Every structure is written in C-alpha cells, then in structure tokens.
Amino acid sequence: MSRKKIRRRGWPPETERSLHTHLTMRDNGRTLDRREVLDLVRGGEDSEVEFKVRYSNPERIAAEILALANSGGGAILFGVSDTCRIEGLDDAERVEVELRELCATAMVPPVHPYINKVAFDSGKRILVLEVDDRRSPHATRDGRYYIRIGSTKREADSQEIAELFHRYDSARYEQVPLHDVSFDDIDEGGVWGYIRAIVPDESRLPKGFPTALAMTDMRLAVMTADDYAPTVAGLVLFGQSRAMTASFPRSHVILTRFAGHDAASPVVEQVTFTGNVASLYWRIEGFLTRYADLSDAPPPRRGNEADSEARSIYSRPAVMEAVTNALVHRDYGVRQEGVRVMLYERRLEIVNPAVGKHIWRGAIDYGVSHPNNPTIKSFFKNAAYGVTTYTGGLPMVRRETLRFARREPKITVLPHEFRIELPAAN
C-alpha cells in the first residue's frame, strides 16, 4: 500500500512558509476524516500502518513508534484489532496524553507525533498516531534502535544502525552504544593514561573505579538496561587494536604506494590498518616516511635537473593535519568504505568517505569548522590523549602547503567523499 494513503492534502509542503503553516496547524483540531481512516483500516497492516486494539505495554508501543520513525514514517491506529475490526477506545483523551508523554520521555531524540481522534456514528472512537522521519534516527533511552520490516518491527543490528545514521545524521553516530562490544575490547591503560594526564594528582582518583563508569562520565559509554556499553566514540578512541577488526571493521585505513603519478601505475606496496585513531595516526605516518620525507622546513629550490629518483618532501604539519582530518571527521557509519591514502611520485592523496555531504565547500575557504564527530575531535586534539597534532585545520593545511610547495592543495568535496591532494615540494 502506498505511503500517500497516510498523507493529507498539501503534505509534504512545497515551501518553507507552507511547512511553517503545516507545523503550526497540526495540533489545532485538524483531523483525518472517517473515510480516510476507513481506507487505512481496510488496507490492513503493512510497512507503514500498525493496529493496536488498546494502549498497553508502553515499552512495546515505544518500540513500534521508533520502528516507524526510523523506517520512513507511518501510522499506528489505536482501537483497531489485527483483524481490521474497529473496536474503539474507552478513554481516547487519556491514551493521547500517555502517548505524548511516551514520545517525549522514552525516546532520543523525542518523537513529535501527529495525533488525531476519530469518531464514528456507532459512538466508537479510535486514535491515529502518525510519525515522520525528519528527526531520525531515534532510539530508546538505553540506546536500542528499532526498524520496521514489512508489518513487523525488530531491533536493528550494528550494521543497520550505521546505515540509519549514514542516511539521516552521521554527526550523531559517534554517540551510538555498541551493545555487541565488550569492555575487554577497550584499552583500559589508554583510558586511565588519559585520565591521569587530565588529573595529575593521582590521590584524587577513586580507588578501584570501574573503567565503564569512567568512560560513561566522559560520554564514551552509556548505561543500558542490562549493563554498560561503549559508544562508537569510545571504541574509536580507545579500542584494542587486536579487537577492532572484528568489532568495528569500518574503521580501517587503506594505504597504497604507487610507482608513478596516477592510479594506473604499478603498486609498490598496499596495506590495510585497523585500530583506534591513535594507532592509525602513527602507523600512517610510519608508512609515509618509508617512501617520503616529512619536514617542518621547506627544502631549498632545485632546478629542472633535479634527480627524479629523489624522495619527495612534504610539509609534516600539513600532512599530519590532513591525516587528522580524515581520521577524526570521517563518517564511521559508512559500510565497507575506509579512509584511503595514496602516495604517488610527487603527490599525496587522502580520501575520506561520505563525509563530503556534510561539508559546505565555501566554509572551508573561511575556516568555518563543523566537526562531524565533535567528541572524537575533542579527545584526539587534547594533549592528554598522547598524539602530537597540529592546529589550524584545513586553512593551515592550505597555507602551509603553499609556503612549503609553492602550490595550494587541491580540495574536492563530493556527496560521497572528501578528497585532498597535497603536492610535494620537489
């Protein structure tokens, strides 16, 4: 059955003004007429319509609402049986109040439903709750995500959650709890090393304080109904390298050294690294320095007779800030795609998958930053995390590359990727 059956005339609005009018009029008494409701009932349950004979088991109903909101939107009809029979509700006003409270307090972010009460000549009344996907994805308070498959709902697995955030809002994905990841996958030494660097007086640290609670205080883990679970940010920052391949393979980086100037050239070496962002940062630098020189000072100018076999020289601050940008701002919800680093004879290319859709190209020119993963960035850039980084972001990369190589880097923003090419100084 088509989605248009649960849409009123004039929706979706064509202009911002009509959208404002629609939002301000939604709850001012406007209701579906009985004919439209009867059409829904006759059509039966499907991927967008659910029947509930009564309001009971709020936890289960919350999951149904979340599943619809995370799957494009839909409607729940209260007072209708699974056999498409209109049974009616005894107290539709009470049900409406409880549903609004449920949507406001049991879901993150809150769901804002459109609720109608529809009366029939028989005296029976039903309640129609509609949700859309404008603020998706939504979760329960303990970080469970639900989706709708056909006429049934189920809890989304880790890959489906990643796809939800890739579709709707990758910037919030770093806060998603990973229920299938154990704290055995976390480098506790790294966590407490960070904490000790922040709190140098170890006498102030509580004795025997669990790592899970410490990470929860830092918003790197969440308390669920059963236990504690690391978030994506917690795993990306402090995940054990040996466990990252199995628990979070999409964090990988592919590095390739080409024996030429383009991707058609022979491959000298290609490696894939998986691990937390600190380990990836140092391993990327190690790979690059096997084939090129990273320097803080520009080399002297060389003439046209320069040795073509000489190692390329790049600005260390520019290269490592570009690497930081790729690791920190990438979309970790992207399936299968990892960061790609390609080293050619006289240029270095770094490709960050899918993050380009969240970047306004003009903002780069003016140094405006919109972090894709603000929590990951905050930790990574903090000296207590233990990584020597540079400041200034992409504006610094542009200035430093121009000073070092006398050419600006080439920056390309596409819907599915962000690409930066750094020229060598020689």
Side-chain angles (χ1 to χ4, degrees):
M1 184 164 42
S2 169
R3 276 181 58 90
K4 66 183 179 182
K5 66 185 179 182
I6 62 171
R7 289 178 173 168
R8 276 153 298 289
R9 290 181 294 275
W11 181 258
E14 296 179 356
T15 67
E16 193 68 27
R17 182 176 295 275
S18 62
L19 172 60
H20 175 74
T21 302
H22 174 79
L23 293 176
T24 55
M25 291 179 61
R26 281 174 74 107
D27 297 312
N28 291 341
R30 185 179 180 189
T31 61
L32 290 168
D33 61 38
R34 285 177 289 180
R35 180 186 58 80
E36 292 172 311
V37 171
L38 287 173
D39 286 343
L40 289 180
V41 173
R42 294 189 186 105
E45 294 181 318
D46 62 14
S47 61
E48 297 171 356
V49 178
E50 175 74 17
F51 297 154
K52 294 292 181 186
V53 71
R54 65 181 61 85
Y55 178 84
S56 61
N57 194 338
E59 184 176 334
R60 183 173 180 178
I61 288 175
E64 297 282 4
I65 294 171
L66 290 170
L68 284 171
N70 288 337
S71 304
I76 302 178
L77 279 63
F78 291 87
V80 180
S81 70
D82 292 341
T83 59
C84 303
R85 179 182 174 86
I86 296 177
E87 302 287 351
L89 295 172
D90 294 333
D91 191 349
E93 285 73 21
R94 178 187 61 80
V95 172
E96 178 179 2
V97 170
E98 293 191 14
L99 282 171
R100 291 195 185 280
E101 178 70 12
L102 185 71
C103 291
T105 61
M107 305 170 192
V108 181
V111 171
H112 299 298
Y114 181 19
I115 298 178
N116 285 330
K117 296 181 288 292
V118 181
F120 295 89
D121 294 337
S122 63
K124 294 180 178 178
R125 293 195 302 165
I126 70 171
L127 185 147
V128 182
L129 177 145
E130 290 186 65
V131 294
D132 57 39
D133 63 352
R134 282 177 297 169
R135 302 187 73 199
S136 296
H138 300 268
T140 61
R141 280 290 175 185
D142 64 347
R144 306 281 177 175
Y145 291 81
Y146 290 87
I147 56 175
R148 195 167 177 88
I149 305 295
S151 60
T152 62
K153 71 159 190 330
R154 65 173 172 80
E155 187 174 349
D157 61 29
S158 59
Q159 185 56 58
E160 289 164 337
I161 293 172
E163 290 173 354
L164 281 175
F165 277 88
H166 179 49
R167 186 188 318 154
Y168 291 113
D169 185 3
S170 65
R172 288 170 41 224
Y173 183 60
E174 66 170 357
Q175 293 300 326
V176 172
L178 300 173
H179 296 281
D180 54 350
V181 173
S182 166
F183 280 93
D184 291 337
D185 296 331
I186 298 298
D187 177 11
E188 294 192 70
V191 173
W192 287 102
Y194 176 88
I195 293 173
R196 290 188 180 93
I198 293 293
V199 186
D201 183 2
E202 293 196 20
S203 65
R204 295 175 53 195
L205 297 176
K207 300 295 184 182
F209 196 63
T211 301
L213 292 181
M215 292 183 66
T216 302
D217 288 345
M218 294 188 291
R219 296 192 65 197
L220 300 179
V222 298
M223 184 174 64
T224 69
D226 305 319
D227 202 352
Y228 292 85
T231 63
V232 168
L235 187 66
V236 167
L237 288 163
F238 294 108
Q240 295 271 14
S241 292
R242 66 175 185 272
M244 290 291 284
T245 301
S247 58
F248 206 65
R250 66 178 64 89
S251 65
H252 70 277
V253 177
I254 301 173
L255 301 100
T256 309
R257 167 66 165 115
F258 292 94
H261 299 281
D262 55 46
S265 304
V267 173
V268 176
E269 183 182 5
Q270 184 174 77
V271 295
T272 299
F273 293 147
T274 303
N276 62 50
V277 285
S279 70
L280 291 176
Y281 183 87
W282 297 122
R283 292 162 82 184
I284 291 172
E285 183 183 35
F287 179 91
L288 294 176
T289 54
R290 287 210 298 273
Y291 298 103
D293 292 329
L294 303 182
S295 174
D296 293 314
R301 294 280 292 187
R302 298 198 300 176
N304 294 331
E305 71 281 359
D307 183 2
S308 62
E309 298 299 320
R311 285 164 62 93
S312 296
I313 305 176
Y314 297 88
S315 163
R316 179 184 295 276
V319 168
M320 298 316 295
E321 182 66 4
V323 169
T324 297
N325 181 78
L327 296 176
V328 168
H329 298 301
R330 65 156 297 184
D331 184 348
Y332 281 96
V334 178
R335 187 175 187 174
Q336 297 176 341
E337 292 286 338
V339 171
R340 304 193 307 277
V341 179
M342 286 82 73
L343 184 61
Y344 301 97
E345 286 297 331
R346 291 293 180 264
R347 65 186 175 94
L348 170 65
E349 188 173 330
I350 301 174
V351 179
N352 193 349
V355 74
K357 65 182 180 180
H358 306 290
I359 295 177
W360 177 41
R361 180 61 180 87
I364 297 174
D365 296 329
Y366 295 102
V368 179
S369 174
H370 297 284
N372 199 41
N373 304 299
T375 301
I376 295 173
K377 177 185 177 182
S378 175
F379 278 83
F380 193 85
K381 286 288 191 176
N382 193 315
Y385 186 63
V387 174
T388 303
T389 62
Y390 297 86
T391 60
L394 289 175
M396 182 276 283
V397 173
R398 295 177 63 195
R399 291 193 307 271
E400 180 67 13
T401 302
L402 181 60
R403 179 184 77 89
F404 201 90
R406 298 175 176 82
R407 285 181 292 162
E408 281 206 33
K410 180 181 178 181
I411 297 175
T412 305
V413 180
L414 300 174
H416 61 285
E417 68 180 25
F418 176 87
R419 182 185 299 259
I420 183 167
E421 299 179 31
L422 303 175
N426 54 349

